[in-house]
C-alpha cells in the first residue's frame, strides 16, 4: 500500500505533468533495465527506487511519472521477464522448420541470439520466487508455457502427444540444468556436442547442412 506522504508527492507530480517530460533525463525502459540489472546482481531486495534513481542521476519524481509504486515497478519487471525470456523461447520454437532437428536448432538459437534468452535473469527471478509465492506462480506459469510450446513443436513433426511431452521436458530441463550447474565450456566444446544432442533430443540424425547452419549462427550471432 502507498503511504499518504507518498501519495501527496505523486499528486504533486501529477499537477506538473504538462512540463515534466522536458525535464526527465531517463525513460521508463531505463528504470526497468537498471532494475533488472540490480535484480540479477544483488537480488530483489536491492531493487529500490532511491538506489535506481541515484544511479540514473534523477529525482524520485521521474520514477512516479512511470510507476505508481515500487510494487508496480516489480510487477512490470516481472512482466518484462515473461515477455523476453519466456516470449523468446516460445517464438523460436514456433519458427518455420523443415525437420524436427532444424526446429530444435531454432530453439538453440534462442539461447545464442543477441537479446535472446537471458539465463542470469531467469535464475534471478527464480531466486526471487523463493521468497514470494506470487512470483512462484508466475514462474510456474512461464515454465508451463515454455513446455507447452516445445511439446507443440514436437507434435508438428508427428510425435505422439505422450512422447512429445517427454521430449519437450528433456530438452527444456537439460537447458535450464546446464545453467544451474554453471558448467564451464567453451563455445567450440559445446558445438562439438550439438549433433549428438540433436539426435538424443529427437531420435533423428540431423543433416550436415542443419548442423553447419547452426554453427555459423552460433559463431556469428550478430550477423544473421
Amino acid at each position: 500500500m502507498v503511504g499518504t506522504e507518498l501519495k501527496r508527492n505523486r499528486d504533486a507530480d501529477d499537477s506538473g505533468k504538462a512540463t515534466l517530460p522536458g525535464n526527465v533525463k531517463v525513460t521508463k525502459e531505463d528504470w526497468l533495465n537498471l532494475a533488472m540489472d540490480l535484480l540479477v546482481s544483488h537480488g530483489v531486495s536491492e531493487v529500490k527506487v532511491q538506489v535506481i534513481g541515484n544511479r540514473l542521476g534523477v529525482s524520485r519524481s521521474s520514477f512516479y511519472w512511470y510507476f505508481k509504486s515500487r510494487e508496480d515497478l516489480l510487477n512490470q519487471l516481472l512482466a518484462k521477464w515473461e515477455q523476453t525470456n519466456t516470449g523468446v523461447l516460445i517464438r523460436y520454437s514456433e519458427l518455420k522448420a523443415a525437420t524436427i532437428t532444424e526446429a530444435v536448432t531454432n530453439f538453440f538459437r534462442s539461447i545464442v541470439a543477441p537479446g535472446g534468452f537471458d539465463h542470469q535473469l531467469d535464475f534471478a527471478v527464480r531466486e526471487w520466487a523463493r521468497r514470494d509465492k506470487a512470483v512462484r506462480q508466475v514462474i510456474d506459469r512461464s515454465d508451463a508455457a515454455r513446455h507447452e510450446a516445445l511439446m507443440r513443436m514436437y507434435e508438428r513433426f508427428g510425435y505422439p502427444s505422450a512422447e512429445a511431452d517427454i521430449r519437450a521436458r528433456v530438452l527444456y530441463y537439460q537447458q535450464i540444468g546446464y545453467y544451474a550447474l554453471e558448467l564451464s565450456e567453451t563455445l567450440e566444446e559445446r558445438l562439438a556436442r550439438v549433433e549428438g544432442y540433436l539426435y538424443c533430443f529427437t531420435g533423428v540424425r540431423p543433416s550436415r547442412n542443419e548442423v553447419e547452419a547452426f554453427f555459423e549462427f552460433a559463431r556469428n550471432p550478430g550477423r544473421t
Side-chain angles (χ1 to χ4, degrees):
M1 298 294 291
V2 180
T4 303
E5 182 178 355
L6 205 55
K7 184 177 185 302
R8 282 201 302 270
N9 289 339
R10 203 165 65 242
D11 289 342
D13 292 338
D14 288 345
S15 66
K17 279 189 176 182
T19 58
L20 183 58
N23 298 320
V24 173
K25 300 177 182 178
V26 298
T27 66
K28 182 177 182 178
E29 284 301 302
D30 291 326
W31 281 94
L32 285 171
N33 288 337
L34 187 48
M36 194 171 289
D37 289 344
L38 286 170
L39 176 65
V40 170
S41 61
H42 293 89
V44 70
S45 62
E46 291 303 307
V47 182
K48 300 175 181 178
V49 177
Q50 185 171 351
V51 171
I52 301 172
N54 287 344
R55 293 199 180 193
L56 291 174
V58 296
S59 66
R60 292 171 69 93
S61 62
S62 169
F63 173 83
Y64 291 111
W65 177 259
Y66 301 118
F67 307 98
K68 296 177 181 178
S69 61
R70 178 176 181 267
E71 182 180 2
D72 183 31
L73 169 67
L74 292 179
N75 287 339
Q76 293 195 43
L77 185 59
L78 198 56
K80 185 173 182 178
W81 165 77
E82 278 199 283
Q83 292 165 5
T84 53
N85 268 20
T86 297
V88 73
L89 290 183
I90 292 174
R91 287 195 302 275
Y92 275 79
S93 74
E94 294 174 343
L95 289 177
K96 184 177 179 181
T99 65
I100 182 58
T101 45
E102 183 183 1
V104 175
T105 64
N106 285 339
F107 172 75
F108 290 166
R109 287 175 186 237
S110 73
I111 309 298
V112 178
F117 182 82
D118 184 336
H119 71 275
Q120 292 181 317
L121 173 60
D122 221 59
F123 279 96
V125 174
R126 290 178 190 278
E127 184 62 27
W128 176 10
R130 294 176 183 271
R131 300 169 177 78
D132 191 319
K133 291 182 179 179
V135 178
R136 178 71 258 176
Q137 291 176 344
V138 176
I139 287 273
D140 291 343
R141 181 177 69 204
S142 285
D143 281 337
R146 295 172 187 185
H147 167 260
E148 178 69 22
L150 292 174
M151 182 177 172
R152 289 197 304 268
M153 180 186 75
Y154 280 103
E155 288 177 330
R156 291 202 310 270
F157 293 92
Y159 290 80
S161 293
E163 184 177 347
D165 169 57
I166 296 301
R167 288 189 182 276
R169 291 176 188 275
V170 171
L171 176 59
Y172 179 56
Y173 296 159
Q174 186 269 352
Q175 190 61 59
I176 294 298
Y178 214 97
Y179 293 121
L181 293 173
E182 297 182 335
L183 297 177
S184 178
E185 292 181 340
T186 66
L187 174 62
E188 293 305 317
E189 286 174 328
R190 294 198 70 176
L191 291 181
R193 298 186 176 97
V194 163
E195 191 168 351
Y197 281 143
L198 288 171
Y199 178 64
C200 287
F201 292 143
T202 66
V204 177
R205 295 289 181 186
S207 71
R208 196 65 227 163
N209 286 342
E210 289 171 343
V211 173
E212 292 293 342
F214 177 69
F215 284 0
E216 176 63 24
F217 180 87
R219 291 171 177 142
N220 303 284
R223 296 183 186 177
T224 53

